[in-house]
Amino acid sequence: MSKRTFLNCEKPLLVCMVQADNPARIKELIDRSLPEGAEAFGMQFCKMKEEYRNESTYRELFAYTDKPIYVTNYRRHGENANRSDEEIAAGLLELAACGATLCDVMGDFFDPCEGELTMNEEAIQKQMALIDALHARGVEVLMSSHVLKFTPAERVLEIALEHQKRGADICKIVTGAENMAQQIENLRIITLLKENLKIPFLFLTGGECHISRRLGGTLGNCMSLCVYEHDELATPSQPLLCDMKIIRDLI
């Protein structure tokens, strides 16, 4: 079997986010998503109940499919409400050791700040050490910054270059758009990133206008985050897998 990877793919991957608080629901979403064209899966372990946060559950889920698996373990989400960044980082290392393909390292790990990109040198060195440790376990690393508001192109590029500099294999930035002018600018930013970054990227927007979530893959994003259905734990702004497959394959 070929190695699972999120890198060097011919088309932007259709990544179905299977968010749930228990493994049975994750398996159910995987089973339903595969016939719809899911090419990879995203599991947010910060949302899983504490009783399932263990090595045996992780290995069972990662072995359930032969598709690449992207994992997150964000601070202040779900069961991570009272965990320190050091504890969360240890959780990422455990997920890596159990078979995850791609681990999400927040851009403000070890120094929480607005916009999720620390410039504190001590925190940056800790991030780079964590990325090295994840790579040593054979996984790929995505660095994420959830800015969550409209951000000028120059600033987005600065964030992306920092992700690249710190050793990430993939850059993920989430901004926002509240009107058509901002939405158009965000589409232009995707092209800007494509022209200036040496690593793959995922540039997403929230707010009232988030067309980049649907068209980003055709412009340069390396993947599309989508959902099988919009249940209570799904991210509302993530489009349906069935729609994204049509958009990607026909445009």
Side-chain angles (χ1 to χ4, degrees):
M1 185 176 66
S2 60
K3 181 181 183 296
R4 297 195 281 194
T5 181
F6 280 84
L7 304 176
N8 304 314
C9 300
E10 292 183 3
K11 295 182 179 180
L13 284 176
L14 297 174
V15 182
C16 189
M17 302 302 292
V18 286
Q19 300 185 54
D21 61 8
N22 67 88
R25 175 58 173 163
I26 288 178
K27 290 179 181 178
E28 178 187 2
L29 288 170
I30 290 174
D31 290 340
R32 292 184 176 184
S33 302
L34 285 169
E36 296 286 343
E39 297 166 340
F41 293 99
M43 301 181 185
Q44 295 198 235
F45 284 95
C46 31
K47 296 190 175 183
M48 186 168 284
K49 291 179 181 178
E50 192 65 37
E51 63 195 272
Y52 302 116
R53 301 281 295 271
N54 56 69
E55 179 181 341
S56 61
T57 298
Y58 301 156
R59 291 189 181 278
E60 178 185 351
L61 287 172
F62 297 153
Y64 191 73
T65 176
D66 62 356
K67 303 297 184 184
I69 297 176
Y70 161 48
V71 300
T72 75
N73 195 29
Y74 295 139
R75 78 167 69 88
R76 291 194 291 270
H77 284 237
E79 299 294 329
N80 281 349
N82 297 313
R83 282 185 168 92
S84 68
D85 280 10
E86 285 73 16
E87 291 173 310
I88 293 170
L92 280 179
L93 290 168
E94 183 178 21
L95 289 166
C98 290
T101 311
L102 177 69
C103 289
D104 190 317
V105 172
M106 297 175 293
D108 66 343
F109 236 139
F110 309 115
D111 180 35
C113 57
E114 184 179 358
E116 283 190 5
L117 185 74
T118 180
M119 296 306 295
N120 177 279
E121 191 58 36
E122 181 180 353
I124 292 172
Q125 291 303 314
K126 287 183 178 180
Q127 289 179 3
M128 295 174 69
L130 173 60
I131 290 171
D132 286 344
L134 290 167
H135 281 154
R137 284 161 174 76
V139 302
E140 297 157 2
V141 176
L142 174 151
M143 180 163 276
S144 63
S145 290
H146 295 78
V147 186
L148 303 181
K149 63 181 180 181
F150 178 73
T151 306
E154 295 75 14
R155 177 55 181 162
V156 173
L157 182 57
E158 287 177 359
I159 296 170
L161 290 173
E162 277 295 323
H163 289 183
Q164 179 175 281
K165 180 180 177 181
R166 296 176 195 184
D169 301 296
I170 298 175
C171 159
K172 176 185 174 184
I173 301 173
V174 185
T175 63
E178 302 301 331
N179 54 57
M180 185 56 68
Q182 292 179 354
Q183 184 164 243
I184 292 172
E185 177 67 358
N186 283 333
L187 294 178
R188 185 183 75 84
I189 288 173
I190 294 177
T191 302
L192 181 71
L193 294 174
K194 186 177 180 180
E195 293 172 346
N196 288 275
L197 276 187
K198 296 178 181 178
I199 61 173
F201 64 88
L202 176 60
F203 179 66
L204 301 172
T205 58
E208 291 299 314
C209 304
H210 39 78
I211 194 173
S212 64
R213 288 187 178 269
R214 289 164 173 77
L215 297 182
T218 66
L219 296 177
N221 278 350
C222 66
M223 66 179 84
S224 296
L225 303 186
C226 43
V227 295
Y228 173 76
E229 62 186 5
H230 286 112
D231 61 13
E232 65 277 6
L233 290 181
T235 301
S237 59
Q238 289 174 348
L240 293 175
L241 168 63
C242 58
D243 292 340
M244 286 307 301
K245 181 168 175 54
I246 293 172
I247 292 171
R248 189 200 64 179
D249 292 351
L250 294 185
I251 293 182

